[in-house]
Amino acid sequence: LAVRGDFRWEVKKRSMWRVRLSFDGTLYGNNTDKNYNRFGATLERIKRNYQVGLSANYTPEYYLRHLYRRPMPDRPTGIRYAAATYKRLIVAANGNARLSDKVDGNAMLGYAKRDYNYPFDERDNNTYMIGAGVNVEMTERFEASFNLTMDLSRAAGADSTNPAVDDVSNNRFGIDI
C-alpha cells in the first residue's frame, strides 16, 4: 500500500513564492521491515524567466537489506547477518532560467547524509552533489537536452585501517543526452 500526500501553497496571489510540503510512505503487509516514510519541504521563487528553489527531504528509517557482519574484536561470535537500515536527509538548491527563446538552463547543488544503524556505522556517508544542463527546443515537437551531474560520497569507514571495515565511498559522474 502506497500513501502519498502533497500540499502546495502560494504565499500570496501573484507573489511568486510557493511552499510545498509532501509525504510519501509505503506499507507492506507481509514484510513490515520494508515500511518507510519520507517527508519533504520546498520553497520556490518563480518569476517569468527564472525559478529558484530550496528543498529538504527526510527519511526516518529505510530498510536496505540484511548485510553480512564480519567478525570484529567487539563481536567475535554471534549473528553474522543483520538488518541494515538508515536515516537519510537531503537538502538541495536549484535554479532554472530561460536563456533565450528556445534555450533553458538549469543548475543544482545538494548535500545528502545517510546514517546507518549499528553495527553498520562505517557505512554512514556524506554526499555532495552538483549538476548543470541545458534544454534546447529544436522544433515545436522536438527538444534536445544535455545534463552533467557529479556526486562525491565519503563514507565513515574510508579512514579505517581495520580490514574488517567496509569503505563504501564512491564517486558518480553522469551525462544525460
Side-chain angles (χ1 to χ4, degrees):
L1 172 68
V3 179
R4 291 199 169 97
D6 198 15
F7 172 74
R8 294 179 190 190
W9 175 55
E10 289 189 24
V11 178
K12 275 179 148 179
K13 284 286 186 200
R14 301 182 206 205
S15 73
M16 304 301 181
W17 285 95
R18 186 170 31 194
V19 175
R20 180 178 173 192
L21 303 173
S22 60
F23 168 79
D24 183 14
T26 303
L27 303 172
Y28 290 88
N30 294 331
N31 185 355
T32 58
D33 287 344
K34 295 179 76 172
N35 291 351
Y36 74 92
N37 299 312
R38 184 174 38 229
F39 305 94
T42 303
L43 175 64
E44 295 176 314
R45 172 80 169 158
I46 303 165
K47 286 288 203 175
R48 183 183 147 146
N49 291 327
Y50 73 89
Q51 174 181 341
V52 293
L54 295 171
S55 62
N57 288 291
Y58 178 65
T59 305
E61 182 178 60
Y62 185 83
Y63 170 75
L64 180 63
R65 64 179 179 267
H66 274 63
L67 295 176
Y68 178 71
R69 293 173 24 176
R70 293 182 180 164
M72 294 179 82
D74 66 331
R75 56 174 198 264
T77 61
I79 299 172
R80 294 285 187 236
Y81 287 89
T85 62
Y86 61 80
K87 294 182 265 189
R88 181 172 55 189
L89 173 67
I90 301 171
V91 292
N94 60 47
N96 300 310
R98 173 67 76 171
L99 303 175
S100 72
D101 287 345
K102 295 189 177 202
V103 179
D104 294 331
N106 63 68
M108 183 274 297
L109 187 62
Y111 168 78
K113 174 151 183 73
R114 265 191 203 185
D115 182 17
Y116 280 83
N117 63 316
Y118 177 82
F120 302 109
D121 294 325
E122 73 273 4
R123 298 176 79 84
D124 292 353
N125 62 60
N126 297 302
T127 302
Y128 303 91
M129 303 165 282
I130 189 168
V134 294
N135 188 37
V136 180
E137 185 180 323
M138 307 298 256
T139 67
E140 194 172 299
R141 294 185 182 192
F142 178 75
E143 9 181 271
S145 62
F146 180 77
N147 293 292
L148 294 171
T149 57
M150 180 174 66
D151 297 352
L152 305 173
S153 183
R154 179 90 168 144
D159 297 325
S160 177
T161 56
N162 184 342
V165 173
D166 291 326
D167 177 9
V168 294
S169 299
N170 61 75
N171 299 322
R172 288 180 286 229
F173 302 92
I175 298 174
D176 295 326
I177 300 175

